[in-house]
Amino acid sequence: MAQPLVSPSILSADFARLGDEVRAIDKAGADWIHVDVMDGHFVPNLTIGPMVVKALRSHSTKPFDVHLMVSPVDPWLEAFADAGADVITFHPEAGPHAHRTVQAIKALGKKAGISLNPATPVEVLDYLIAEIDLVLVMSVNPGFGGQSFITSQLDKIRAIRQRIDASGRAIHLEVDGGINPETALQCVAAGADVLVAGSAVFSGGADRYATNIAALKRGGT
Ligand code: DX5
Ligand code: ZN
């Protein structure tokens, strides 16, 4: 199995020192930087806006992987694109028009991702797979870091891997929530190629970040 990319979620970083934290995970081997944007409406938490993304942009040259948990989503796309997002992922339930949102992200020159909540069926991808660059499987209900991995999502990852392979397109399959070295291994075996991890990367202080990231990647060697 190929090694997965690791996209640490800065939701678990020290918010008082976010710039330092982004530099630290960059240096520790993060492939992407995952930014969880929550609106207190689509999900029961409130986090980061485009101004923070813009402020962090100069702290890393790695791709910014922006996960929008906001509804409606379209009014925010341009602000996050301008702030420096490289991948913009949204939830189809937050739309309201998922295909239009994908088109809008692509028109801004960014990669477009679709995120599936634990109860969202894979069929939501049927008429989007020809357009998207990434599928993000939520292996916890969105809103908070530090939750336990929902094992039923492994079947969904396998089903999406088949659809991606059948499409012949280069689409990343990313998993988010409850990722640790053990669940990382299960996700990669099921077909994931990008792992989001908050708690598992940021535990133990900056001296541990490289070891923590390496432990998640080892799952895939
Ligand atoms: C949850 C977020 C996740 C979360 C992952 O809504 O999308 O990115 O921060 O955190 P851990 O890795 O701690 O489950
Ligand atoms: Zn996320």
Side-chain angles (χ1 to χ4, degrees):
M1 282 183 286
Q3 272 204 349
L5 302 178
V6 173
S7 188
S9 165
I10 60 170
L11 190 60
S12 297
D14 178 351
F15 271 35
R17 304 171 38 255
L18 267 185
D20 293 344
E21 293 276 66
V22 167
R23 280 201 304 281
I25 52 171
D26 179 315
K27 190 169 156 231
D31 296 291
W32 296 356
I33 311 294
H34 188 82
V35 183
D36 284 308
V37 177
M38 305 185 186
D39 68 349
H41 164 70
F42 182 64
V43 289
N45 199 358
L46 195 59
T47 58
I48 291 169
M51 287 166 65
V52 176
V53 173
K54 189 173 181 188
L56 292 174
R57 190 58 275 194
S58 62
H59 292 265
S60 173
T61 56
K62 305 273 172 76
F64 273 27
D65 171 30
V66 175
H67 178 191
L68 298 179
M69 289 160 273
V70 302
S71 175
V73 67
D74 290 4
W76 293 104
L77 299 177
E78 194 169 350
F80 282 100
D82 289 349
D86 296 287
V87 183
I88 300 180
T89 298
F90 70 99
H91 290 250
E93 293 89 347
H97 301 290
H99 193 279
R100 174 178 289 150
T101 302
V102 170
Q103 288 178 312
I105 295 169
K106 305 290 280 186
L108 290 164
K110 306 300 176 182
K111 294 199 182 303
I114 298 285
S115 181
L116 277 61
N117 279 333
T120 302
V122 295
E123 285 72 21
V124 75
L125 299 173
D126 279 354
Y127 299 98
L128 294 168
I129 201 129
E131 324 279 342
I132 56 178
D133 302 292
L134 178 143
V135 178
L136 175 61
V137 173
M138 289 306 302
S139 41
V140 298
N141 283 294
F144 303 95
Q147 303 181 77
S148 297
F149 186 85
I150 300 171
T151 312
S152 62
Q153 300 308 298
L154 290 170
D155 278 344
K156 190 189 285 181
I157 295 165
R158 280 187 276 272
I160 295 171
R161 169 48 61 200
Q162 284 184 354
R163 282 167 191 250
I164 290 174
D165 289 350
S167 78
R169 300 190 62 243
I171 300 173
H172 284 295
L173 177 46
E174 183 176 37
V175 186
D176 186 358
I179 296 294
N180 56 41
E182 187 189 350
T183 55
L185 183 64
Q186 295 169 341
C187 290
V188 173
D193 67 339
V194 188
L195 304 173
V196 176
S199 332
V201 168
F202 286 95
S203 66
D207 290 348
R208 295 280 308 168
Y209 295 170
T211 311
N212 292 344
I213 291 171
L216 297 174
K217 283 180 173 276
R218 251 199 316 278
T221 53

